[in-house]
């Protein structure tokens, strides 16, 4: 009899536990904020730390990444970010003088009239602006007026469990990179004003839009009326797929529209960053959009920029918040670009968000 009661008690306990965890699975449970909270640093410690960062390069930390670099980045989280308008205005002025994103970043009818010769930025190719090509361009830049606050959202795995979605959506203008899935809204938000689109994504995932186009259209609905920025005049293969994307969105009466990266702007921006001693094969789209945002916006915050396989705690983290596909080796210098963002953050030129929001 006693034995049967024990068995009954065990059975009831198992059923209760099963019901409880099934309830959590159905209704959702609060996701943990997995990153440790860094203890505040003193003002003097923060000054010393930022000075150390500004006088270093990423190469210095390659040997002892898990030790020195991660400890430094964790310590930086304990320093309050303080906007330095003098530094921001200086950087903004330098970029404006070299590149003028508000006028030149996008190919427009204003900066590329009929008869104008477009020089590709990655190949020795040219394209004459014909009447039909001219009709594809917007009349003028969408960035005539300064924007108060901008979020540039990278796709780094560090965004997982960041709970930054609501904060991102509060920005006046949101840049996103390479048509990312907006499937974890708590972490990445939903608002999109401009999203870049790498032509290889359309070639690999959507068959260059030569056959069924509905899957592409269904994906694009998440981006609402965003500008879709494509490098039509970087490589020759990019031109046809960029134009096909423009026509596809028009054919399906989508509210989003394709605009083309101006290769003249990219060439000038490349020269600027190389003169600043940043070494790379080709700039990443993240650096291009972050640079443009610095010019166009009064305040810039970067989210999801983290090109490393370990997070701030040394725990493995996927390359993207939605997959773990690594970048093509040799194409970009992501760690060096990232360290420039860290230095800009330290100067107060922009804010780099790495921890939970």
């Amino acid at each position: 009899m006693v034995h049967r009661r024990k068995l009954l008690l065990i059975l009831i306990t198992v059923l209760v536990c099963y019901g409880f965890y099934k309830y959590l699975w159905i209704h959702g449970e609060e996701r943990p904020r997995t990153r440790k909270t860094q203890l505040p640093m003193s003002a003097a410690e923060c000054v010393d730390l930022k000075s150390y960062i500004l006088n270093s390069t990423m190469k210095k930390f390659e040997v002892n990444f898990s030790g020195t670099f991660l400890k430094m980045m964790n310590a930086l989280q304990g320093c309050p970010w303080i906007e330095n308008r003098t530094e921001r205005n200086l950087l903004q002025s330098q970029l404006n003088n070299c590149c003028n994103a508000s006028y030149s970043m996008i190919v427009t009818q204003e900066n590329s009239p009929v008869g104008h010769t477009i020089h590709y930025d990655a190949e020795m190719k040219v394209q004459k602006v014909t009447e039909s090509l001219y009709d594809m361009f917007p009349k003028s830049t969408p960035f005539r007026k300064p924007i108060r606050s901008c979020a540039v959202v990278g796709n780094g795995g560090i965004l997982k469990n960041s709970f930054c979605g609501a904060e991102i959506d509060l920005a006046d203008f949101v840049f996103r990179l390479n048509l990312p899935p907006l499937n974890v809204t708590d972490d990445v938000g939903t608002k999109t004003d401009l999203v870049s689109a790498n032509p290889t994504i359309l070639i690999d995932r959507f068959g260059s839009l030569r056959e069924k186009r509905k899957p592409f259209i269904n994906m694009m609905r998440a981006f609402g009326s965003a500008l879709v920025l494509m490098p039509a005049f970087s490589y020759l293969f990019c031109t046809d797929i960029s134009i096909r994307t423009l026509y596809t969105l028009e054919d399906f009466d989508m509210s989003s529209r394709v605009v083309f990266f101006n290769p003249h702007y990219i060439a000038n921006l490349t020269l600027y960053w190389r003169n600043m001693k940043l070494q790379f094969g080709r700039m990443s789209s993240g650096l291009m959009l972050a640079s443009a945002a610095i010019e166009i916006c009064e305040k810039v915050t970067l989210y999801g920029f983290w090109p490393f396989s370990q997070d701030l705690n040394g725990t493995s983290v996927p390359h993207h918040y939605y997959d773990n596909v690594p970048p093509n080796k040799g194409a970009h210098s992501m760690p060096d670009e990232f360290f420039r963002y860290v230095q800009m953050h330290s100067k107060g030129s922009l804010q780099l968000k790495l921890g939970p929001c």
Side-chain angles (χ1 to χ4, degrees):
M1 189 72 175
V2 174
H3 181 65
R4 292 178 65 184
R5 283 181 180 174
K6 283 185 178 179
L7 285 175
L8 184 60
L9 183 61
I10 290 170
L11 179 61
I12 292 170
T13 303
V14 169
L15 289 173
V16 169
C17 290
Y18 170 77
F20 174 70
Y21 285 109
K22 186 176 180 181
Y23 175 87
L24 289 178
W25 182 76
I26 293 171
H27 297 278
E29 56 182 314
E30 186 177 351
R31 291 182 295 147
R33 296 176 184 261
T34 55
R35 298 183 195 111
K36 293 179 258 186
T37 302
Q38 174 63 35
L39 293 175
M41 302 269 284
S42 71
E45 288 172 327
C46 288
V47 169
D48 289 343
L49 175 61
K50 290 175 182 178
S51 176
Y52 178 71
I53 289 170
L54 294 173
N55 289 286
S56 301
T57 64
M58 189 65 212
K59 192 172 183 65
K60 186 174 185 176
F61 306 104
E62 288 175 354
V63 176
N64 191 14
F65 174 83
S66 297
T68 308
F69 184 75
L70 289 184
K71 284 180 181 176
M72 181 182 71
M73 296 310 302
N74 266 301
L76 189 61
Q77 302 309 297
C79 296
W81 181 75
I82 302 171
E83 181 184 21
N84 185 324
R85 293 193 176 186
T86 301
E87 287 291 345
R88 178 183 65 80
N89 291 343
L90 176 62
L91 181 58
Q92 192 176 53
S93 175
Q94 289 173 345
L95 284 166
N96 184 262
N97 289 337
C98 89
C99 310
N100 194 4
S102 60
Y103 177 79
S104 298
M105 182 177 76
I106 290 172
V107 177
T108 66
Q109 294 179 356
E110 191 175 14
N111 60 39
S112 301
V114 174
H116 175 72
T117 301
I118 296 175
H119 294 264
Y120 286 60
D121 66 271
E123 290 182 334
M124 298 294 290
K125 305 288 184 182
V126 297
Q127 173 73 56
K128 277 280 187 185
V129 178
T130 62
E131 288 280 359
S132 60
L133 188 59
Y134 176 80
D135 288 341
M136 297 178 199
F137 306 156
K139 289 184 178 180
S140 60
T141 176
F143 302 116
R144 287 192 178 277
K145 295 180 180 179
I147 302 168
R148 190 177 61 82
S149 65
C150 291
V152 185
V153 187
N155 299 324
I158 202 167
L159 272 176
K160 292 186 75 173
N161 294 333
S162 68
F163 291 85
C164 285
E167 186 173 303
I168 289 168
D169 287 346
L170 284 174
D172 295 317
F173 198 95
V174 178
F175 297 84
R176 295 187 190 271
L177 309 177
N178 293 329
L179 301 174
L182 304 182
N183 55 355
V184 195
T185 57
D186 283 351
D187 294 334
V188 303
T190 59
K191 183 177 181 179
T192 308
D193 295 286
L194 182 149
V195 60
S196 67
N198 189 324
T200 58
I201 295 173
L202 301 168
I203 293 168
D204 295 341
R205 288 173 54 191
F206 301 103
S208 300
L209 300 178
R210 292 185 184 278
E211 297 178 3
K212 289 185 177 181
R213 299 179 294 169
K214 213 54 179 300
F216 169 70
I217 291 300
N218 290 337
M219 179 199 70
M220 290 304 300
R221 295 189 197 284
F223 298 105
S225 58
L227 297 173
V228 181
L229 181 61
M230 300 194 68
F233 308 111
S234 288
Y235 295 93
L236 196 59
F237 83 89
C238 297
T239 307
D240 284 347
I241 184 62
S242 297
I243 291 173
R244 202 173 303 119
T245 304
L246 182 149
Y247 284 146
T248 297
L249 293 177
E250 287 184 355
D251 289 348
F252 282 83
D253 295 321
M254 299 293 285
S255 54
S256 54
R257 68 183 192 275
V258 170
V259 291
F260 302 140
F261 239 137
N262 191 336
H264 181 66
Y265 170 79
I266 295 175
N268 285 338
L269 189 63
T270 298
L271 184 61
Y272 171 81
W273 283 115
R274 284 186 173 151
N275 286 339
M276 298 300 289
K277 310 301 181 189
L278 185 58
Q279 297 180 349
F280 48 80
R282 182 170 175 80
M283 289 183 297
S284 71
S285 54
L287 180 58
M288 293 180 195
L289 292 188
S291 301
I294 290 165
E295 269 198 71
I296 294 165
C297 314
E298 293 178 11
K299 181 188 175 186
V300 177
T301 306
L302 307 185
Y303 301 84
F305 281 74
W306 183 259
F308 308 112
S309 59
Q310 297 175 340
D311 66 12
L312 291 168
N313 299 330
T315 305
S316 293
V317 65
H319 184 66
H320 298 127
Y321 68 84
Y322 50 85
D323 68 30
N324 198 24
V325 178
N328 294 327
K329 288 186 176 180
H332 307 302
S333 299
M334 299 286 202
D336 294 310
E337 289 183 5
F338 173 79
F339 198 70
R340 287 302 172 106
Y341 305 139
V342 174
Q343 291 178 321
M344 287 187 267
H345 174 97
S346 299
K347 286 183 175 181
S349 305
L350 57 72
Q351 186 173 13
L352 176 64
K353 279 277 188 161
L354 297 178
C357 292

